[in-house]
């Protein structure tokens, strides 16, 4: 059984400044992942490495080959930092770039070449994916967020745990994290659940929640937790209670 962990770009980078990685945070996260790396697929967000170039070139609405190249190279650089840090922490891992493995339609994953990911897991190597630009059958190209990737992969890999590390304590209502949320609750909390601070082209907390509610509807529950607080990633990987659980409507 695989497990999926997403670490938001807001934890790995300063989302308000271009190319501002947080190397100490990346190393801390790698050390926490190293406590329980078995059968784990890591997906990380793009943070300022993705959202800022994407916005500069008007992606995904505007088709720009130069924008695609610049944005991809930028997020691939962040991925390289994460992979190097995990390697130093003793975790065998390899980068998997969605640009080269996914095909989208209307911004949604239509097909994905999963064989390398499955083989890596079988060989004890952690695949590391990230939010990326990708070719799109109807739009030329679009953006695939880490949240869309985890929802897709969790279904295809039949994951038992899906943990989404963000820079807030979960789904906040009046500043406090809900213990759990299901689709039926969405209308009631609509006004509280906003988009994220800083530059975000993939929908912030609302976009994240919609992906995870869809996943819950298909039978896989998940958790959104604060990955910037030391120890939380380790806790989430052990299946301990952290943050807000995204559960299926009864
Ligand atoms: C966005 O990825 C990808 C690009 C902008 C190219 P995410 O949506 O997963 O990134 P974060 O977690 O919000 O930073």
């Amino acid at each position: 059984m695989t497990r999926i962990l997403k670490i938001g770009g807001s934890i790995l980078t300063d989302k308000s400044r271009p190319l501002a990685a947080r190397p100490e945070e990346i190393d801390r996260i790698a050390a926490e992942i190293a406590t329980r790396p078995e059968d784990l697929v890591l997906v990380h967000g793009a943070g300022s490495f993705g959202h800022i170039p994407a916005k500069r070139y008007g992606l995904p609405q505007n088709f720009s080959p130069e924008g695609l190249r610049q944005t991809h190279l930028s997020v691939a650089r962040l991925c390289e930092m994460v992979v190097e840090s995990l390697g130093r922490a003793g975790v065998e891992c390899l980068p998997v770039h969605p640009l080269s493995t996914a095909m989208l339609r209307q911004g949604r994953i239509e097909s994905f070449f999963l064989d390398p990911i499955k083989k890596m897991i079988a060989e004890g190597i952690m695949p590391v994916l990230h939010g990326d630009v990708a070719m799109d059958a109807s739009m030329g190209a679009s953006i695939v967020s880490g949240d869309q990737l985890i929802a897709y992969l969790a279904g295809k890999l039949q994951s038992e745990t899906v943990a989404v590390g963000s820079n807030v304590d979960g789904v906040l209502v009046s500043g406090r994290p809900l213990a759990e949320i299901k689709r039926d609750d969405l209308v009631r909390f609509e006004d509280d659940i906003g988009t994220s601070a800083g530059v975000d082209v993939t929908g912030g907390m609302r976009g994240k929640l919609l992906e995870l509610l869809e996943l819950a509807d298909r039978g896989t529950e998940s958790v959104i937790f604060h990955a910037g607080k030391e120890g939380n990633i380790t806790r989430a990987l052990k299946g301990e209670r952290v943050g807000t659980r995204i559960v299926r409507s009864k």
Side-chain angles (χ1 to χ4, degrees):
M1 275 293 221
T2 56
R3 299 173 301 135
I4 298 183
L5 173 67
K6 189 209 165 189
I7 301 293
S10 52
I11 299 290
L12 306 169
T13 74
D14 178 347
K15 254 179 146 172
S16 64
R17 291 192 295 132
L19 300 183
R22 293 185 164 132
E24 281 159 24
E25 274 297 88
I26 295 176
D27 286 348
R28 175 189 61 83
I29 289 161
E32 289 201 37
I33 291 172
T35 62
R36 210 161 174 271
E38 301 81 23
D39 300 320
L40 188 67
V41 175
L42 178 66
V43 177
H44 69 78
S48 60
F49 285 68
H51 292 281
I52 291 181
K55 197 165 178 158
R56 186 185 316 136
Y57 289 98
L59 307 180
Q61 291 78 11
N62 178 39
F63 181 76
S64 160
E66 186 190 346
L68 294 172
R69 172 167 46 85
Q70 296 290 4
T71 307
H72 172 72
L73 288 177
S74 178
V75 291
R77 247 169 238 134
L78 179 63
C79 182
E80 197 175 305
M81 286 181 219
V82 172
V83 167
E84 278 176 348
S85 176
L86 282 165
R88 284 195 300 273
V91 179
E92 286 306 340
C93 60
L94 286 170
V96 176
H97 302 303
L99 172 62
S100 322
T101 45
M103 187 67 202
L104 313 181
R105 182 179 296 275
Q106 296 283 352
R108 307 296 301 171
I109 300 171
E110 187 171 60
S111 59
F112 196 107
F113 187 45
L114 284 166
D115 292 9
I117 292 183
K118 289 181 180 162
K119 188 62 178 162
M120 284 177 203
I121 298 168
E123 298 294 343
I125 298 170
M126 182 187 298
V128 181
L129 294 88
H130 53 86
D132 203 352
V133 292
M135 302 316 288
D136 188 304
S138 56
M139 299 164 66
S142 189
I143 290 176
V144 57
S145 70
D147 297 322
Q148 188 186 160
L149 285 166
I150 54 171
Y152 182 87
L153 292 173
K156 293 287 175 189
L157 301 174
Q158 283 151 9
S159 305
E160 54 171 354
T161 322
V162 177
V164 182
S166 168
N167 64 345
V168 284
D169 285 314
V171 179
L172 303 182
V173 168
S174 310
R176 296 230 302 273
L178 297 172
E180 59 174 53
I181 186 166
K182 50 186 180 315
R183 190 175 288 283
D184 300 347
D185 301 329
L186 205 55
V187 193
R188 192 153 39 108
F189 298 130
E190 192 89 58
D191 295 341
D192 292 283
I193 303 160
T195 47
S196 75
V199 182
D200 195 311
V201 295
T202 50
M205 179 57 80
R206 207 188 136 70
K208 188 185 307 304
L209 196 53
L210 292 175
E211 296 287 354
L212 297 177
L213 284 169
E214 201 184 302
L215 183 64
D217 290 345
R218 286 189 270 123
T220 307
E221 300 190 341
S222 57
V223 61
I224 299 178
F225 68 99
H226 201 318
K229 292 189 177 164
E230 199 164 345
N232 268 358
I233 295 175
T234 311
R235 257 174 236 127
L237 289 176
K238 282 190 194 153
E240 289 174 18
R241 258 199 112 81
V242 273
T244 302
R245 289 204 66 78
I246 318 302
V247 300
R248 196 177 187 164
S249 286
K250 299 287 174 309

